[in-house]
């Protein structure tokens, strides 16, 4: 029976013959303790210390982004990206319904309304065709006096669409080049939610570097973790400076005076968290290759099984943050979830679609047939980085 084969496969792959196997647990196999001890010994655990800058430099270098600004969470990074994109109350922001709630929450923090547009079935990221179709059928270009740009005005709400946030689902890049072309053509700001895609590339360019901003997350379950944390990446010098300023309470530099020149946020990452981040970044390459090896083993395992294992799409390199299978229908999905969790192998369905959550169900959507199709069938399977790759 396939479920037992699957359970055996996972137990063997992780060399854990019995006991609970979580979906994605962090691995601390490098200099984590050493750097944390340095923080404690030096007393620099909070907002001052060398690790934040070092962590930012590593992310900059790794992603090829001109600037990287650390933040206290991925959600905070998204919020700041929207604030600096000057998304205002009364604006509308397009995102996908198939995402973690943070994306839609961050839009709400600005007072803007989300519009949910469908994903592609293969990438599970925002569909450029459906985005273009929505703009064509539901908006007309008009001068927005707030932004002084000709932007799509929503015919039903009378509001302007000022930003689009695609998400690179489970580390599989969305069709970001096509999305960018549509955004540029319509004067809409592109922000990439790359929380799940550190180590994922589209045509050789790191995810999160196509938009005006990209945002990363270092929550405990992500590819690398700082306990909790995030990062904003951008190529814009001026916006990068502003991002650093407003994530750190907008304090004007002075030897002793406390002057703050705008309403800022306490969104800074602590030196303690950044110390963890520096140690994790040192291992990122090995984490990603370990994940890709595991994915190739899963791919072989699921061949001819009747269950589809999601592999990377054309033009992309995926970090395989969460391995994904697609079951035949909702009933088979539920059965797979029950049988695996009953056997102590943690598996999870995809998030409840954003447009079905109480706080977002009043907002406009496009045709969501692909998101609904995926929501009925997608299951994430064991995806922790393996400490010891030899079976
Ligand atoms: C993890 C995640 C975030 C950010 O989460 P934080 O816990 O705030 O770091 C944002 N968007 C998506 C899609 C995520 O998966």
């Amino acid at each position: 029976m396939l479920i037992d084969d699957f359970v055996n496969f996972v137990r063997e792959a992780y060399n854990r013959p019995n006991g609970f196997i979580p979906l994605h647990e962090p691995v601390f196999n490098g200099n984590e303790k050493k750097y944390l001890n340095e923080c404690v010994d030096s007393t620099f655990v909070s907002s001052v210390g060398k690790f934040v800058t070092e962590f930012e430099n590593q992310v900059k270098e790794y992603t090829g982004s001109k600037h990287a600004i650390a933040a206290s969470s991925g959600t905070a990074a998204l919020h700041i990206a929207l604030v600096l994109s000057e998304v205002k109350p009364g604006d509308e922001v397009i995102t996908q319904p198939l995402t973690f709630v943070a994306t839609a929450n961050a839009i709400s923090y600005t007072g803007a309304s989300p519009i949910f547009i469908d994903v592609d079935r293969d990438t599970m990221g925002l569909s450029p065709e459906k985005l273009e179709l929505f703009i064509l059928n539901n908006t007309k270009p008009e001068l927005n006096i707030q932004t002084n740009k000709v932007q799509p005005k929503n015919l039903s709400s009378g509001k302007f669409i000022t930003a689009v946030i695609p998400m690179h689902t489970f580390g599989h890049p969305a069709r970001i080049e096509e999305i960018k072309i549509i955004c540029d053509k319509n004067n809409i700001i592109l922000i990439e939610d790359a929380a799940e895609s550190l180590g994922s590339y589209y045509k050789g360019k790191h995810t999160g570097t196509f938009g005006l901003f990209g945002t990363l997350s270092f929550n405990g379950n992500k590819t690398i973790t700082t306990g909790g944390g995030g990062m904003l990446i951008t190529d814009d010098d001026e916006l990068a400076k502003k991002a650093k300023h407003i994530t750190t309470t907008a304090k004007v530099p002075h030897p002793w005076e406390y002057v703050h020149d705008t309403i800022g946020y306490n969104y800074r990452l602590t030196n303690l968290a950044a110390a963890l981040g520096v140690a994790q970044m040192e291992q990122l390459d090995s984490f990603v290759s370990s994940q890709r090896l595991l994915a190739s083993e899963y791919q072989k395992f699921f061949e001819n099984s009747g269950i589809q294992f999601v592999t990377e799409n054309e033009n992309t390199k995926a970090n395989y943050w969460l391995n994904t299978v697609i079951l035949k229908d909702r009933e088979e999905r539920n059965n797979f979830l029950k049988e695996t969790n009953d056997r102590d192998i943690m598996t999870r369905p995809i998030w409840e679609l954003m447009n079905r959550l109480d706080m977002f169900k009043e907002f406009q959507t496009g045709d969501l047939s692909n998101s609904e199709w995926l929501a009925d069938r997608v299951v994430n399977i064991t995806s922790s980085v393996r400490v010891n790759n030899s079976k």
Side-chain angles (χ1 to χ4, degrees), residues 73-75 78 99-100 102-103 167 193 195-196 217 219 222 229:
S73 70
T75 312
L78 272 170
T99 184
F100 178 60
T103 324
M167 197 274 283
D193 185 343
E196 305 181 355
S217 166
N219 191 34
K222 294 284 160 54

Side-chain angles (χ1 to χ4, degrees), residues 99-355:
T99 184
F100 178 60
V101 68
T103 324
N105 278 343
I107 294 168
S108 302
Y109 300 163
T110 66
S113 312
I115 297 176
F116 300 110
I117 300 295
D118 209 5
V119 297
D120 284 326
R121 269 199 203 181
D122 54 356
T123 67
M124 300 176 284
L126 188 70
S127 161
E129 283 81 22
K130 298 222 178 173
L131 172 64
E132 186 148 51
L133 211 62
F134 181 88
I135 293 172
L136 199 68
N137 292 338
N138 298 277
T139 72
K140 67 171 179 11
E142 212 173 278
L143 179 70
N144 181 350
I145 54 161
Q146 292 272 348
T147 60
N148 204 25
K149 291 189 274 194
V150 175
Q151 289 176 311
K153 188 173 184 180
N154 190 329
L155 295 170
S156 61
S157 65
K159 296 174 173 178
F160 283 97
I161 296 166
T162 54
V164 170
I165 313 183
M167 197 274 283
H168 302 291
T169 308
F170 306 138
H172 291 283
R175 294 197 161 77
I176 194 64
E177 228 175 38
E178 290 166 62
I179 294 169
K180 183 173 165 50
I181 289 168
I182 297 164
C183 288
D184 287 349
K185 203 166 73 184
N186 290 284
N187 291 318
I188 302 174
I189 289 176
L190 174 62
I191 298 167
E192 294 171 77
D193 185 343
E196 305 181 355
S197 64
L198 181 62
S200 300
Y201 296 80
Y202 185 86
K203 292 191 181 170
K205 191 170 153 60
H206 198 279
T207 50
T209 63
F210 291 81
L212 181 61
F213 293 104
T215 61
L216 305 173
S217 166
F218 311 112
N219 191 34
N221 61 348
K222 294 284 160 54
T223 299
I224 66 162
T225 185
T226 58
M231 193 85 74
L232 198 62
I233 55 179
T234 183
D235 281 345
D236 189 297
D237 301 341
E238 204 54 43
L239 290 173
K241 244 203 295 198
K242 280 190 188 165
K244 193 71 201 175
H245 187 59
I246 67 166
T247 51
T248 54
T249 68
K251 184 179 179 297
V252 180
H254 188 278
W256 56 81
E257 300 287 0
Y258 293 107
V259 178
H260 305 260
D261 60 1
T262 184
I263 291 180
Y265 302 82
N266 181 12
Y267 279 174
R268 73 178 99 221
L269 190 71
T270 67
N271 199 46
L272 268 178
L276 216 49
V278 169
Q280 292 265 287
M281 278 304 288
E282 291 170 354
Q283 300 162 83
L284 179 55
D285 281 333
S286 80
F287 284 3
V288 173
S289 39
S290 163
Q291 294 293 69
R292 291 178 59 80
L293 178 65
L294 174 65
S296 70
E297 291 173 17
Y298 271 135
Q299 189 182 351
K300 269 191 224 115
F301 173 79
F302 282 107
E303 259 168 19
N304 311 316
S305 69
I307 295 175
Q308 185 199 338
F309 178 73
V310 176
T311 55
E312 64 194 355
N313 291 288
E314 213 187 345
N315 296 324
T316 73
K317 183 185 172 200
N319 66 2
Y320 286 96
W321 169 56
L322 284 188
N323 289 295
T324 305
V325 290
I326 298 181
L327 281 299
K328 205 175 94 231
D329 52 30
R330 197 169 185 99
E331 195 186 326
E332 298 235 331
R333 181 201 86 150
N334 291 345
N335 185 51
F336 186 89
L337 286 166
K338 175 162 189 346
E339 296 286 331
T340 47
N341 284 289
D342 277 355
R343 287 166 172 78
D344 267 353
I345 305 293
M346 180 174 167
T347 59
R348 285 293 180 265
I350 210 160
W351 314 278
E352 184 75 271
L353 298 179
M354 292 305 107
N355 58 296

Side-chain angles (χ1 to χ4, degrees), residues 27-71:
V27 168
F28 302 116
N29 235 7
N31 289 317
E32 286 86 356
K33 284 183 183 167
K34 180 171 169 238
Y35 297 160
L36 285 171
N37 272 330
E38 268 182 50
C39 291
V40 174
D41 290 344
S42 69
T43 76
F44 290 115
V45 295
S46 186
S47 49
V48 179
K50 65 171 190 181
F51 285 114
V52 174
T53 312
E54 210 168 311
F55 187 35
E56 289 172 338
N57 287 338
Q58 283 172 312
V59 170
K60 229 159 51 178
E61 194 172 318
Y62 188 89
T63 59
S65 180
K66 203 166 164 203
H67 303 281
I69 302 95

